[in-house]
Amino acid sequence: MSTVVAEKVDDDLWSAIGDPTRRRMLDLLLIEVDGTATTLAQQLPVTRQAVAKHLGVLERVGLVRATPAGREKRYRVDDAQLARAVAQLSSVGAAWDARLQRIKRIAEAIQHAQQG
């Protein structure tokens, strides 16, 4: 990985997003605007306690923000941090596109040399 891309990638952020349950939770929060561990657990095949732990991970990396609401917390996606994650993904994708193009050119040159 190039140093330019490596400096932009936040491994903790991508580790948090890498979990399918957390991605689904983010999807639900983006659709519903906010939610609690209880309301999210009702829509996921995991316990409320598991949802609370996943929300803790998402909160630690800044993808969600919690607001006290009675005995629970209401969680909402942090748009700025989500935009940062999208920008990182775009950067990594562009770097890999460039690498794949280079590999393709090398393979084509080898193939051309073998035919000629």
Side-chain angles (χ1 to χ4, degrees):
M1 183 181 299
S2 74
T3 54
V4 173
V5 173
E7 290 174 20
K8 294 180 183 178
V9 174
D10 180 336
D11 289 333
D12 290 337
L13 177 67
W14 285 102
S15 177
I17 293 173
D19 183 275
T21 300
R22 289 192 284 266
R23 284 195 309 270
R24 180 68 182 129
M25 291 169 64
L26 287 170
D27 287 341
L28 291 170
L29 290 172
L30 286 166
I31 292 166
E32 298 174 9
V33 181
D34 67 5
T36 65
T38 301
T39 61
L40 290 168
Q42 292 169 350
Q43 300 174 69
L44 296 166
V46 295
T47 65
R48 185 203 173 284
Q49 290 78 13
V51 168
K53 286 182 181 181
H54 284 298
L55 286 167
V57 171
L58 293 172
E59 187 175 19
R60 261 192 310 283
V61 298
L63 282 168
V64 298
R65 299 284 177 226
T67 305
R71 294 177 58 198
E72 291 206 80
K73 294 179 182 178
R74 296 201 72 77
Y75 292 87
R76 170 174 249 156
V77 173
D78 183 299
D79 293 337
Q81 188 72 336
L82 185 60
R84 182 174 164 247
V86 169
Q88 286 182 18
L89 181 59
S90 295
S91 175
V92 170
W96 275 103
D97 286 345
R99 288 181 188 115
L100 292 172
Q101 285 299 322
R102 183 169 182 221
I103 291 168
K104 180 181 176 187
R105 285 191 305 272
I106 292 168
E108 289 171 346
I110 292 169
Q111 183 179 19
H112 182 67
Q114 289 174 346
Q115 292 174 350

